[in-house]
Amino acid sequence: MTLYGVGLGPGDAGLVTVRGREVLEAADVVYSPGRLSRTVATEYVPESRIGDVDFPMTRDEEELRRAWKEAAAEIAPQAREGTVAFVTLGDPNVYSTFGHLRRTLAAFHPDVELETVPGVSAVSAFTTTLGVEIRAGSSLTLHEANGDLPTEPDQLVLFKVTDAPATHEQLVDAGYEVWYGRRLYMEQGETVVTDDPDELAERDYYTLAYAEKPDAGAEPATAAFETDVAGQTPTEVSSR
Ligand SMILES: C[S@@+](CC[C@H](N)C(=O)[O-])C[C@H]1O[C@@H](n2cnc3c(N)ncnc32)[C@H](O)[C@@H]1O
């Protein structure tokens, strides 16, 4: 049978896709790697069908590998016999725990069939919240907030912003304007959208940064119009 990696979206059960919901409802067991994903999954799956897998909060690679091997050894036999789902917040292919599981299964249990059900990533949740459009002709770079940050892209979305004031300093020094989003479309905790990093000084893992060079912004390739006077006839703008 099959192991489905199901993206749950940013944390609001209403943003689980129809396909994701169908897989959750049909699965014999639904594994959840964290409390928040579990809360979203239980909107569609009774507690009795939820299986937990534990991952230590450590950067020790040896310890993490051991935890992934144990999780894969627990999940693989179930996925051979029935339908199993492994849920992640956002999309399973964007900085996700599902990637670790997929690699561990490929190494130790290569006969397990895998399928991915995409979810609404925090990237889309954030650009929607800010009203930022990734337009034809523009490009966006995704990155984690730890370590050295890229300074070339016109637009950046940073994940795992755990020290907003320090991230802010790096980005402003590199010439960016920056906005932050915390717990977007999440049923738990307070949603914050701000350009002031001091409002986010208290650490919260579910924080993103969007950075843009002030002169960034490709002209839209089509459907660009200007209005001479508010409410009067728009005129076409040639962009290319
Ligand atoms: C391990 S990554 C998972 C990303 C996820 N797979 C996705 O596609 O959105 C966790 C990071 O995603 C971001 N994140 C996920 N959900 C979020 C939300 N609802 N609001 C703000 N940030 C979120 C945070 O930066 C967090 O540190």
Side-chain angles (χ1 to χ4, degrees):
M1 300 287 274
T2 306
L3 169 64
Y4 291 88
V6 178
L8 295 177
D12 173 340
L15 288 179
V16 175
T17 65
V18 173
R19 176 80 54 86
R21 179 182 180 156
E22 283 168 2
V23 169
L24 296 181
E25 286 172 349
D28 301 304
V29 194
V30 175
Y31 284 99
S32 152
R35 199 170 42 84
L36 280 173
S37 53
R38 185 191 175 102
T39 309
V40 178
T42 49
E43 296 274 336
Y44 301 116
V45 185
E47 292 272 354
S48 58
R49 281 201 284 122
I50 301 262
D52 286 315
V53 275
D54 279 335
F55 300 107
M57 292 297 279
T58 174
R59 292 197 177 160
D60 179 336
E61 291 201 359
E62 201 52 42
E63 208 179 323
L64 284 170
R65 264 197 289 273
R66 195 167 41 244
W68 280 111
K69 274 171 81 171
E70 278 172 22
E74 150 92 20
I75 293 169
Q78 312 254 13
R80 283 190 196 99
E81 302 209 339
T83 299
V84 176
F86 182 93
V87 294
T88 61
L89 284 180
D91 183 90
N93 284 334
V94 179
Y95 299 123
S96 157
T97 42
F98 185 64
H100 302 302
L101 178 61
R102 187 174 44 219
R103 285 186 290 278
T104 314
L105 286 165
F108 297 100
H109 310 276
D111 58 315
V112 171
E113 279 189 34
L114 290 177
E115 207 170 299
T116 304
V117 181
V120 176
S121 173
V123 180
S124 305
F126 197 20
T127 52
T128 299
T129 301
L130 292 178
V132 166
E133 182 186 351
I134 314 304
R135 291 184 288 201
S138 68
S139 65
L140 173 72
T141 297
L142 306 184
H143 209 273
E144 289 172 308
N146 40 39
D148 287 337
L149 301 178
T151 55
E152 292 302 315
D154 286 337
Q155 293 168 291
L156 268 176
V157 168
L158 298 182
F159 286 73
K160 304 180 185 176
V161 178
T162 48
D163 185 345
T167 300
H168 195 77
E169 203 178 317
Q170 273 194 70
L171 290 170
V172 169
D173 285 352
Y176 287 105
E177 291 176 345
V178 196
W179 292 265
Y180 300 89
R182 177 170 280 180
R183 295 193 175 243
L184 306 167
Y185 296 93
M186 247 186 201
E187 283 165 9
Q188 284 79 31
E190 188 196 352
T191 297
V192 182
V193 179
T194 181
D195 61 0
D196 179 1
D198 292 334
E199 277 186 43
L200 305 172
E202 197 177 318
R203 183 192 150 107
D204 185 325
Y205 179 68
Y206 291 100
T207 306
L208 295 154
Y210 170 72
E212 186 180 282
K213 294 272 170 78
D215 51 1
E219 291 295 333
T222 56
F225 301 96
E226 259 173 14
T227 312
D228 294 339
V229 180
Q232 294 200 356
T233 321
T235 52
E236 290 180 21
V237 177
S238 144
S239 61
R240 295 221 158 151

